[in-house]
């Protein structure tokens, strides 16, 4: 996002992306609208209208510049990333949701991705939950996304064998030719996911980074090695189902002594300084590459969001509100 107001008295014209009404299931572009309103930049009070959910802008992770702040930790001109509104100006009262940007020798958009929430998710999930070792066999579903592409590169840097699944030939080529995966396949072209995994992992899988769930998880369980680890980051195939798919191979967890752990990035915010110490040198040395799908302007926000659910984006989806 472009700017962050943390206690300003002036009045500004503010463009926002809002939901027209409650959305059940995946959103459509028609569920959202872009509106312009006049707002006074002041810290909201407990009973302020700013705290009402009706017709307030969507929330998400963004990059912003502080216009003014009454918080001693932030001053005018500081760059921050964290939870903001889908709008040109945001009032942010919860400083716990913010991180000050100290390193500007990389694109600021990286703080919405590789150096922000997706990057920390990949780092915590892979290193903290999966406890990887050199030479292990790693599988990542939805591997071309903002998190998956990083998990795969972290694994390659450790000397692991890495395979990812994605939903198009373009994304499969990206995994193999840009991110350095040892192999990749288009899950939409596979009639038998179990057979596909056996083709790439004849000796089984040590680590699975889970984004998909459903039939993919069921096939992975059969192909896990003893004492394998599964980090559950999401299950996108199940989000919009009235009746989630059942998993039939759960006994593999017992037979193979598999460790499965779900996690949320908010539990690992304390690792952020350590994360930067590891990842920034990789970026500067060209050892990690990152792909973004950039849409220009708030008006393109609804289409960009809807595209996430059909896999239209390649890499991290970013909406540029302002270049200044």
């Amino acid at each position: 996002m472009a700017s962050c107001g943390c206690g300003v008295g002036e009045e500004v014209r503010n463009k926002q992306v809002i939901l027209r009404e409650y959305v059940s299931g995946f959103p459509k572009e028609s569920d959202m609208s872009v509106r312009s309103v006049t707002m006074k930049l002041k810290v909201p009070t407990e009973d302020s209208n700013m705290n009402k959910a009706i017709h307030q802008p969507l929330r998400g992770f963004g990059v912003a510049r502080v216009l003014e702040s009454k918080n001693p930790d932030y001053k005018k001109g500081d760059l921050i990333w964290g939870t903001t509104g889908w709008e040109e100006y945001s009032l942010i009262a919860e400083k716990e949701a913010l991180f000050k940007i100290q390193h500007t020798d990389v694109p600021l958009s990286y703080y919405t991705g590789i150096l922000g929430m997706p990057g920390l998710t990949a780092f915590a999930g892979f290193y903290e939950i999966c406890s990887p070792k050199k030479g292990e066999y790693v599988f990542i579903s939805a591997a071309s996304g903002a998190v998956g592409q990083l998990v795969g590169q972290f694994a390659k840097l450790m000397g692991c064998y890495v395979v990812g699944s994605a939903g198009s030939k373009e994304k499969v080529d990206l995994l193999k030719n840009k991110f350095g995966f040892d192999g990749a396949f288009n899950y939409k072209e596979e009639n038998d996911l179990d057979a596909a995994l056996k083709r790439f992992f004849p000796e089984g899988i040590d680590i699975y980074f889970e984004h998909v769930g459903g039939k993919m998880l069921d096939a992975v369980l059969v192909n896990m090695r003893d004492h394998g680890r599964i980090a559950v980051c999401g299950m996108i195939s199940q989000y919009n189902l009235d009746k989630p798919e059942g998993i039939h191979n759960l006994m593999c967890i017992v037979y193979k002594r598999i460790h499965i752990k779900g996690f949320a990035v908010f539990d690992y915010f304390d690792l952020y300084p350590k994360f930067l110490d590891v990842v920034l040198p990789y970026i500067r040395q060209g050892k990690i590459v990152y792909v973004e799908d950039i849409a220009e302007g708030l008006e393109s926000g609804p289409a960009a969001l809807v595209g996430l659910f059909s896999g239209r984006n390649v890499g991290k989806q970013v909406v540029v509100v302002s270049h200044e």
Side-chain angles (χ1 to χ4, degrees):
M1 300 300 164
S3 302
C4 160
C6 299
V8 189
E10 64 181 293
E11 194 170 82
V12 297
R13 191 75 174 165
N14 197 28
K15 190 179 292 183
Q16 303 173 325
V17 178
I18 65 167
L19 289 175
R20 297 179 188 275
E21 55 188 28
Y22 179 80
V23 175
S24 178
F26 292 159
K28 306 181 295 297
E29 285 189 54
S30 59
D31 292 326
M32 292 167 272
S33 66
V34 180
R35 69 173 184 178
S36 291
V37 298
T38 299
M39 65 182 292
K40 187 174 287 293
L41 296 179
K42 62 179 180 179
V43 176
T45 59
E46 191 63 34
D47 58 352
S48 167
N49 287 335
M50 291 301 296
N51 289 322
K52 294 181 179 179
I54 300 174
H55 296 312
Q56 289 305 302
L58 276 65
R59 303 284 286 172
F61 286 94
V63 171
R65 185 184 298 278
V66 176
L67 297 181
E68 190 173 325
S69 176
K70 294 181 180 178
N71 188 310
D73 293 337
Y74 303 95
K75 64 180 186 298
K76 182 177 181 179
D78 281 349
L79 292 166
I80 55 97
W81 74 267
T83 303
T84 67
W86 285 38
E87 53 188 347
E88 292 181 313
Y89 297 90
S90 286
L91 296 171
I92 302 174
E94 307 85 16
K95 69 173 185 176
E96 293 79 11
L98 299 179
F99 294 87
K100 191 180 294 187
I101 294 174
Q102 307 284 3
H103 306 278
T104 57
D105 60 327
V106 295
L108 286 178
S109 59
Y110 276 19
Y111 289 93
T112 69
I114 185 172
L115 293 176
M117 182 272 289
L120 186 57
T121 300
F123 182 84
F126 184 62
Y127 291 111
E128 297 294 316
I129 294 175
C130 295
S131 302
K133 294 183 272 300
K134 181 178 180 179
E136 289 194 309
Y137 300 96
V138 178
F139 176 55
I140 305 155
S141 56
S144 67
V147 175
Q149 60 176 276
L150 293 173
V151 175
Q153 292 181 81
F154 289 153
K156 286 302 300 176
L157 287 166
M158 281 206 67
C160 297
Y161 169 80
V162 183
V163 174
S165 65
S168 71
K169 181 182 183 302
E170 177 188 19
K171 293 178 180 179
V172 167
D173 290 343
L174 194 69
L175 293 176
K176 293 190 292 186
N177 300 323
K178 192 172 186 69
F179 299 138
F181 283 47
D182 296 289
F185 63 90
N186 183 347
Y187 70 90
K188 295 178 181 177
E189 296 179 349
E190 299 291 342
N191 296 321
D192 186 336
L193 291 174
D194 177 40
L197 292 172
K198 283 183 167 56
R199 188 166 75 244
F200 286 97
F201 296 98
E203 298 181 47
I205 300 167
D206 292 298
I207 290 172
Y208 174 43
F209 209 95
E210 164 72 300
H211 288 114
V212 173
K215 295 181 177 64
M216 184 66 80
L217 175 58
D218 226 5
V220 167
L221 287 172
V222 175
N223 287 278
M224 291 295 292
R225 301 179 80 181
D226 289 354
H227 305 289
R229 287 87 69 206
I230 299 177
V232 183
C233 183
M235 293 189 176
I236 195 168
S237 73
Q238 307 301 297
Y239 293 164
N240 203 33
L241 300 181
D242 293 331
K243 184 178 181 181
E245 294 176 311
I247 303 298
H248 304 284
N249 296 314
L250 290 175
M251 276 305 295
C252 292
I253 300 171
V254 179
Y255 298 147
K256 301 182 179 187
R257 286 86 76 202
I258 299 169
H259 175 79
I260 302 179
K261 183 174 181 179
F263 73 104
V265 69
F266 311 104
D267 299 329
Y268 295 94
F269 276 167
D270 62 306
L271 292 180
Y272 192 65
K274 176 182 176 182
F275 161 74
L276 286 182
D277 287 343
V278 172
V279 176
L280 276 170
Y282 283 153
I283 295 173
R284 290 165 178 156
Q285 295 163 19
K287 293 183 177 180
I288 283 183
V289 295
Y290 196 64
V291 172
E292 299 173 309
D293 195 321
I294 296 178
E296 291 284 343
L298 270 176
E299 291 82 1
S300 63
L305 176 60
V306 171
L308 291 174
F309 298 100
S310 61
R312 191 167 66 207
N313 62 301
V314 177
K316 169 66 178 176
Q317 181 67 70
V318 179
V319 176
V320 178
V321 178
S322 171
H323 287 278
E324 180 56 48

